[in-house]
Amino acid sequence: MDKEGEGRVILASYGEVMLKGLNRPFFERKMLEGVRRAVAPFGPAVVSKSQGKLVVRPSGEGFDYARAVAAMRKVFGLAYVCDVRETAADMGVICGLAARLAGGGDPGMRTFKVEARRGDKGFHLNSMEICAAVGESILRNVGGVTVDLEKPSFVIHVEVRDGRAYVYRDREAGARGLPYATGGKAVSLLSGGIDSPVASWMMARRGVEIEAAYFHSYPYTTDRVKEKVASLVAALTEYTGEMRLHVVGFTKTQELIREVAKPTFVTLMMRGSMMRIASDIADRVGAKALVTGESMGQVASQTMEGLAATDRVVGKPVFRPLIGMDKNETIDLARAIGTYETSIIPYDDCCTLFSARHPELRPRPIEVDLIRSRLEGAGIGALEAEAAEGREEIMVRPGR
């Protein structure tokens, strides 16, 4: 703290974790773990909880507040993250600090309002009285600003708690959702495209721990594609911490399907085989579900009949968080989470390389079962087991 007793901390407010009742301590611990992981690269700090907030209090010089706030915004479960000035719970000090913050922003931002919360009920002013006093100080000491309670260009926040005051200008939106790894584990079928990384992120945001499975068909697909997928996983780890990538050799299985299946059914049978292998991997790593980036009607294999056909081959839930989204919505989200630029790098997808020009749109279960029976007779079950057993595991960490 400086000579006036002013310090600098980061405050983060909870999202829906506030609604978790008796289970809330479990979710809070997971958020604390996530915040500690997020801020660790930027300097030593103590992370604690206080009255429904997480507080990051740096314990040394040189702490990078801006980068720490940016990293915390990717911690699932947090609604807002704020770079805060902490000071004595004294209205003279609070008003002076608020006026300084109000005058230190973009010159074009000339309208403001004040929001105050009095967590310390022993403080002599209530929330409305704090707002009035701080607003009057800003109008008196900062030239050219006016009050706008409906659409202000900036907001000055004041919180009084535990005998201290926290003053900050605006606040950064967090990722919200639920803390990572609080909702079980799933294996996500990850390609090098736009959709599957977004689907993985969406399920991770609901607290699901993700292990990624990528199906590699060398020499039809090169190692550059594998590197691209690893880069996509690295982008996701900015939100989740480390993530395991399973690289599955799929060439032999694909070639058998191409030889045995009707051309119009090749894509569907490959998709079903991927699901079976991913389900096998899920059993090996203790995952209870699969995740895909499929969206209803987006491509020929993603009709209701096609999705039902692939669901029949696995004995666990298949989550499709993009199912009702159109491509532009998915692209917007990919841009927002930082996967889009990597996803659009050209690559050879192992499914499209073997696809028919006009794949089956509405496969009948009896036809699917017949082709699967032929594939079983040709030894596809052994190839799928071999693919799951012989997969390469890569542990991907943030900053890869």
Side-chain angles (χ1 to χ4, degrees), residues 95 157 240:
C95 288
H157 299 265
T240 65

Side-chain angles (χ1 to χ4, degrees), residues 92-143:
V93 177
I94 292 170
C95 288
L97 178 54
R100 194 171 85 231
L101 291 176
D106 185 338
M109 301 175 71
R110 310 308 297 166
T111 60
F112 77 96
K113 75 173 180 176
V114 179
E115 293 185 355
R117 298 186 65 181
R118 185 186 65 166
D120 184 347
K121 300 307 179 184
F123 192 67
H124 65 287
L125 299 182
N126 63 31
S127 297
M128 292 186 64
E129 291 168 334
I130 294 171
C131 286
V134 171
E136 181 181 355
S137 175
I138 292 172
L139 290 171
R140 186 171 60 249
N141 292 287
V142 182

